[in-house]
Amino acid sequence: MAEEARKKIEPVRSVKGTRDLLPPATGLWQRVEEESRRVFEAYNFREIRTPVLEETALFRRSVGADTDIVTKEMYTFEDRDHESLTLRPEATASVVRAYIEHGLFNDGGIHKLYYMGPMFRRERPQKGRFRQFYQIGAEVLGSDHPSVDVELLEMLALLVERLGLGNSTLLVNSVGCARCRPEYVKVLKRALEGVKSKLCADCQRRAVTNPLRVFDCKVEADQATIAGLPRILDYLDPECRQHFEFVTAGLRDRSIAYTIEPRLVRGLDYYTRTTFEMTSGALGAQNALMGGGRYDGLAEMLGGPPTPGFGVAIGEDRLVLAVEEAGALRAAVGLDAYIAWMGDGAYGPATKLARDLRREGLSVEIRRPTDAAKLKKSLGVASKLSARYSIIIGEDEVAKGRYQVKDMTSGQQEEVEPARLVAYLKVRMGTGG
RNA sequence: GUGAGCGUAGCUCAGCUGGUAGAGCGCCAGACUGUGGCUCUGGACGUCGCGGGUUCGAAUCCCGUCGCUCACCCCA
């Protein structure tokens, strides 16, 4: 009765667009995160952790009230006290909020912060795009100098190199500032009026609602027309132009390959001047590995003191995808030792050995009793777990005071006294890797 | 939000124009009662996503529904 009833229960599954990351895949994620931390810390970035939940207003004011993210992609709900809360769709706004909230501007100088964690956007999932996705980001607050931009781009180039992603392309552009961009948008709108009839339906719509977006069009037939549109780089004011030239010169100076992409227009309202994106060929339609730019007006938009900023958001899901594709990074695998024991008399010594090895930081597995006839089974388990060594402890070994240590790669076996075992294994672990 | 493709064993998939399911891998056991990876033999495992319809008969055809995937949109 109860059995039959149970069969009908639909198992609960993960929510659409969210996923479980299981071992061994998580090993690769850990490697990517480790490498990121190492590189960031080398550039003197320090970690900041902000809440996943924020007041909705934060994103409306920063990301932009009529961007796609805010109008249709946020997970927003009313809390019990009627406050509107949102699961963060990105983290730059949170970092700047924290910067203001804790008065970090009071100690002068610049702040270099990095973060990693889940973000949420309610989009239709596809390759490299999820409703809960992970970003690794870095932000520099407090300097409007273009050397900041160059340094961060240099850091990203190093990260990409460390991850074995040689085939990435860096695209850079400038979207001007609050003074010169509106001028350009006017010019662009006028130009679009003239050629509107030649463009696809989507572009005709964009020409009115968000002219900069026309540059994202992928319709082949539109490309010639789009190529003929005025470019923002030709409309930058002198300060913005100088800033951009400093950045590109800095990249050349460091031999960092880049392509100027006048069509690169970031989708968030807060960007000013430098914008960039790094793409990877291995990703499908969602090929942006990371993107970012300068946001000199953001702190003010959030009610803080004028504070220039520059940052990047890396799509970790995509980064991991690309790293898998490239195959250059291997996750740490396997087990250092498997303890195959048999016979009641071996139980005590075997568990004690396991404890000692584990206290030394070795990765050790020990399982239920196996009867002496099934040693082969234990070794089979050791093999399946990719153990580097198996330690065989039967009653013979206990009596003799020496355990059998089997190197699972070579098949070689040696007798080792329990007291020497930790040292024996540590020496071999150290050199073997 | 829109479009397309796909849902068959734990996994990857086969199953032609309808005759009530198969392979490989994995798993378990044995060959080999103290030595893994190889080989051989045997074994367990399926509401053919779900609901309805057509039919003597549906994994197969039709409708609906749910899910997944990819693409558009947009972005990381």
Side-chain angles (χ1 to χ4, degrees), chain A residues 76 120 206 236 238 339-340 343 367 375 393 396 402 422 424:
Chain A
T76 295
F120 305 84
R206 294 185 192 117
L236 296 180
I339 298 180
R367 293 191 175 172
L375 207 216
I393 310 176
D396 295 353
R402 293 213 208 107
V422 167
Y424 178 94

Side-chain angles (χ1 to χ4, degrees), chain A residues 156-368:
Chain A
L156 295 174
L158 175 61
L159 176 60
V160 159
E161 180 192 322
R162 285 287 158 81
L163 294 175
L165 267 32
N167 56 345
S168 309
T169 313
L170 174 64
L171 306 173
V172 297
N173 190 28
S174 173
V175 296
C177 63
R179 285 191 308 280
C180 57
R181 181 163 38 178
E183 286 305 310
Y184 167 70
V185 171
K186 269 187 219 161
V187 172
L188 179 62
K189 264 191 172 160
R190 222 174 298 134
L192 282 169
E193 279 305 317
V195 296
K196 209 169 162 181
S197 56
K198 295 188 204 163
L199 295 169
C200 68
D202 277 340
C203 284
Q204 300 201 15
R205 175 177 50 76
R206 294 185 192 117
V208 182
T209 58
N210 196 347
L212 293 175
R213 282 266 148 261
V214 170
F215 290 115
D216 283 340
C217 180
K218 282 159 192 141
V219 176
E220 198 52 46
D222 288 8
Q223 298 311 307
T225 312
I226 291 169
L229 292 169
R231 302 182 156 202
I232 190 161
L233 289 179
D234 298 325
Y235 292 83
L236 296 180
D237 64 28
E239 290 77 18
C240 289
R241 163 147 301 283
Q242 211 183 348
H243 188 100
F244 187 65
E245 277 165 6
F246 188 102
V247 171
T248 51
L251 291 173
R252 286 194 298 278
D253 205 38
R254 290 163 172 75
S255 305
I256 297 170
Y258 68 92
T259 305
I260 294 180
E261 178 49 274
R263 298 161 47 172
L264 176 64
V265 182
R266 312 255 81 230
L268 282 59
D269 280 3
Y270 54 62
Y271 284 114
T272 55
R273 294 190 168 169
T274 313
T275 58
F276 67 93
E277 189 169 294
M278 211 179 291
T279 60
S280 163
L283 289 182
Q286 306 305 320
N287 66 351
L289 270 185
M290 59 185 81
R294 184 158 274 289
Y295 45 87
D296 291 342
L298 179 56
E300 275 182 284
M301 287 160 69
L302 293 177
T307 308
F310 185 72
V312 62
I314 304 170
E316 190 176 0
D317 305 75
R318 294 177 188 179
L319 199 59
V320 170
L321 218 58
V323 165
E324 269 170 4
E325 202 79 25
L329 200 65
R330 275 175 313 163
V333 286
L335 192 64
D336 294 326
Y338 183 84
I339 298 180
W341 65 280
M342 51 215 153
D344 291 345
Y347 176 72
T351 51
K352 181 177 176 303
L353 175 66
R355 187 196 59 189
D356 292 347
L357 295 177
R358 286 165 166 167
R359 288 172 74 99
E360 289 300 318
L362 296 177
S363 169
V364 173
E365 178 68 331
I366 177 169
R367 293 191 175 172
R368 67 195 311 199

Side-chain angles (χ1 to χ4, degrees), chain A residues 50-225:
Chain A
T50 63
V52 160
L53 213 49
E54 295 273 7
E55 272 183 41
T56 303
L58 175 65
F59 304 113
R60 270 208 309 267
R61 281 155 63 179
S62 59
V63 173
D66 42 42
T67 56
D68 279 5
I69 291 177
V70 172
T71 56
K72 50 192 194 203
E73 295 174 1
M74 293 203 307
Y75 282 96
T76 295
F77 64 94
E78 198 172 90
D79 199 0
R80 294 183 181 209
D81 56 5
H82 306 300
E83 185 177 24
S84 180
L85 302 180
T86 293
L87 251 26
R88 64 181 182 193
E90 61 114 41
T92 299
S94 298
V95 171
V96 173
R97 194 221 78 234
Y99 172 87
I100 296 167
E101 189 166 331
H102 297 96
L104 298 187
F105 45 84
N106 283 323
D107 56 9
I110 68 173
H111 288 266
K112 296 159 100 173
L113 302 165
Y114 76 88
Y115 60 85
M116 44 187 69
M119 310 293 158
F120 305 84
R121 291 183 201 171
R122 198 182 185 291
E123 300 181 89
R124 196 79 168 261
Q126 71 186 74
K127 189 178 173 86
R129 192 170 73 184
F130 307 93
R131 289 183 173 185
Q132 175 173 335
F133 60 105
Y134 295 79
Q135 284 189 338
I136 299 175
E139 315 283 354
V140 183
L141 291 159
S143 169
D144 63 357
H145 198 274
S147 60
V148 164
D149 309 20
V150 181
E151 187 188 59
L152 189 104
L153 292 170
E154 175 192 300
M155 179 175 87
L156 295 174
L158 175 61
L159 176 60
V160 159
E161 180 192 322
R162 285 287 158 81
L163 294 175
L165 267 32
N167 56 345
S168 309
T169 313
L170 174 64
L171 306 173
V172 297
N173 190 28
S174 173
V175 296
C177 63
R179 285 191 308 280
C180 57
R181 181 163 38 178
E183 286 305 310
Y184 167 70
V185 171
K186 269 187 219 161
V187 172
L188 179 62
K189 264 191 172 160
R190 222 174 298 134
L192 282 169
E193 279 305 317
V195 296
K196 209 169 162 181
S197 56
K198 295 188 204 163
L199 295 169
C200 68
D202 277 340
C203 284
Q204 300 201 15
R205 175 177 50 76
R206 294 185 192 117
V208 182
T209 58
N210 196 347
L212 293 175
R213 282 266 148 261
V214 170
F215 290 115
D216 283 340
C217 180
K218 282 159 192 141
V219 176
E220 198 52 46
D222 288 8
Q223 298 311 307
T225 312

